[in-house]
Amino acid sequence: MERITIITETRTAIHSRRIIFPIIYVILCVFIVLIFISPPGINGYERAMFGDMVYGQAHKPFVYRALLPMIIRTTTSIIPEETDELINKMLDKIPSVKSELSKSTEEDMFYWEKELYTEYIVAIFYIFLFLLGFVFSLRYLFEGVYKASILSKDILAISALLILPSFFDYMSYLYDFPALCLFTLGLGLMVREKWVLFLIIYTLGCINKETTILLSLIFAIYFVKSAKMLRSKFYWLLAVQLIVFILVKLMLFFIFLNNPGSFVEFHFVDHNLVLLGNISLAAMTALAVIAGLVFYRWTDKPLFLRDALWIVAPLFILTLFMGYIDEQRDFYEAYPVVLLLIYHSAAKIFAKV
């Protein structure tokens, strides 16, 4: 009888967690999206203004990150004009929104254009969905590399969300959360060898951002070292990935051939060179702690995650020359890998306490 009671309580606890944690995810995602879109937000860089991104008029290379703008454009195109007008009127009737938007002028880089209110609402909705998708993609990846309790997965997912706002140190871009979601999901599908779904996500990822090619690097390193796959299948899958990447890049290149800007931007001299000579003690300490947690009991960690960590090297090099080295969002692709490596260290450390 006591055993039945214990089992019932355990099932009740599990059932409660299955209800409570998704609610927590949704609430956290709402707050994080609000932080994400706050100034400078998604309309604060003259080369990648919101309206220009959505309607394909932004500067290169930003305009090449076309997935979410395409989704927003398609969605708003099927919204009736009456609904569009209703959205504008509803926003104008909310005092806090009207007050905030009325302060904005065309001289203010962070203003939201009234004629694009519908696009902004649609964009926020999809940004939220991709962020929530990241949560479940992270859990999916977690299950692919670790055997742990449901509670562990929930704690990891909540921790990932709570840490995420620290990445919002410069601009926020429409392609950020799609990159985080699709890359994490791609890793989860890769470790399970679900290749049809993987190639679909890979294609969407390539349309979203060119750093999706790093999934191919992980694929090559892991499946060469692990010897889990026939060579013929390995070369075929790798070739398909490279062909998809090249075709998507060519398509985007020709679609936006006449857009202003260049294929890449270089910031090594104008930003990173100076910054590297003035790294603070706090930043160095934080990096040392993260590195210590990542490499603690390194050989005990899953091979897939160890191989996936190699993407930090090309990400660092690309960011050093073509990004801002202190812009943490440039390392979104490495975020789920680093989190799961740190989880292993934390689990081992706390097990000894």
Side-chain angles (χ1 to χ4, degrees):
M1 187 70 176
E2 291 179 358
R3 185 177 179 182
I4 294 173
T5 303
I6 291 171
I7 293 173
T8 302
E9 289 176 350
T10 303
R11 287 176 177 173
T12 302
I14 292 172
H15 181 68
S16 298
R17 284 202 299 270
R18 286 176 178 172
I19 296 173
I20 292 171
F21 279 101
I23 294 173
I24 294 173
Y25 295 157
V26 170
I27 293 171
L28 282 176
C29 286
V30 168
F31 279 106
I32 291 169
V33 169
L34 290 175
I35 297 170
F36 184 80
I37 64 174
S38 298
I42 54 177
N43 198 42
Y45 184 41
E46 65 275 7
R47 293 176 178 268
M49 298 299 282
F50 176 80
D52 292 338
M53 285 291 290
V54 170
Y55 288 103
Q57 298 171 346
H59 286 234
K60 295 177 282 191
F62 304 98
V63 74
Y64 292 140
R65 289 84 186 249
L67 180 65
L68 189 51
M70 182 174 64
I71 294 172
I72 295 168
R73 224 169 30 246
T74 303
T75 303
T76 53
S77 69
I78 61 176
I79 293 177
E81 187 176 340
E82 296 78 10
T83 305
D84 190 18
E85 293 175 358
L86 181 61
I87 290 172
N88 289 345
K89 290 178 181 178
M90 288 177 62
L91 286 175
D92 280 337
K93 287 181 179 179
I94 302 173
S96 58
V97 173
K98 184 176 181 179
S99 173
E100 190 63 32
L101 294 176
S102 65
K103 297 176 185 176
S104 302
T105 65
E106 293 194 4
E107 287 73 34
D108 179 5
M109 190 180 292
F110 310 130
Y111 80 106
W112 282 18
E113 307 92 324
K114 187 170 183 178
E115 65 272 16
L116 296 177
Y117 280 0
T118 301
E119 283 86 343
Y120 279 108
I121 297 302
V122 171
I124 292 168
F125 172 72
Y126 283 116
I127 288 169
F128 167 80
L129 286 185
F130 274 111
L131 179 57
L132 192 61
F134 162 67
V135 173
F136 290 99
S137 297
L138 183 65
R139 286 170 55 92
Y140 184 66
L141 175 59
F142 183 103
E143 292 168 354
V145 293
Y146 291 122
K147 291 182 179 179
S149 66
I150 296 174
L151 183 60
S152 296
K153 287 182 282 189
D154 287 321
I155 291 172
L156 178 75
I158 289 173
S159 300
L161 287 174
L162 292 175
I163 295 168
L164 201 55
S166 66
F167 286 74
F168 308 160
D169 40 11
Y170 281 94
M171 271 287 302
S172 298
Y173 294 91
L174 290 176
Y175 49 84
D176 282 351
F177 288 169
L180 193 57
C181 174
L182 295 173
F183 201 90
T184 306
L185 182 54
L187 290 172
L189 292 168
M190 186 190 300
V191 77
R192 288 175 172 80
E193 301 185 39
K194 294 183 178 293
W195 299 121
V196 174
L197 290 174
F198 171 80
L199 290 172
I200 293 171
I201 295 301
Y202 185 88
T203 303
L204 293 174
C206 288
I207 298 171
N208 183 69
K209 196 180 180 188
E210 60 279 0
T211 46
T212 300
I213 191 66
L214 294 174
L215 283 173
S216 298
L217 176 62
I218 296 170
F219 171 84
I221 294 172
Y222 177 66
F223 285 101
V224 165
K225 289 176 62 178
S226 65
K228 290 180 61 178
M229 186 182 293
L230 292 173
R231 292 298 89 183
S232 58
K233 185 176 181 181
F234 169 80
Y235 289 123
W236 183 84
L237 284 169
L238 183 59
V240 171
Q241 291 171 54
L242 297 179
I243 290 169
V244 166
F245 178 79
I246 292 169
L247 288 177
V248 168
K249 291 305 295 178
L250 285 173
M251 176 188 71
L252 294 173
F253 175 78
F254 285 110
I255 289 174
F256 301 114
L257 183 63
N258 296 320
N259 282 55
S262 57
F263 195 72
V264 294
E265 289 188 349
F266 291 96
H267 296 290
F268 178 70
V269 175
D270 66 357
H271 184 85
N272 294 330
L273 191 60
V274 176
L275 193 66
L276 288 172
N278 296 281
I279 300 177
S280 67
L281 179 61
M284 292 178 65
T285 302
L287 288 173
V289 170
I290 292 170
L293 290 171
V294 166
F295 290 103
Y296 175 72
R297 299 188 64 166
W298 177 250
T299 55
D300 293 342
K301 297 177 189 288
L303 177 63
F304 181 77
L305 294 178
R306 285 185 280 148
D307 288 340
L309 190 66
W310 278 104
I311 65 170
V312 172
L315 279 173
F316 177 79
I317 294 169
L318 288 170
T319 304
L320 180 63
F321 289 98
M322 291 176 277
Y324 284 3
I325 200 66
D326 57 335
E327 191 172 24
Q328 296 178 71
R329 52 169 295 279
D330 287 332
F331 296 91
Y332 273 143
E333 289 81 2
Y335 185 48
V337 177
V338 171
L339 274 175
L340 290 176
L341 287 169
I342 290 175
Y343 162 81
H344 184 279
S345 300
K348 296 296 182 184
I349 292 169
F350 284 112
K352 294 180 179 179
V353 175

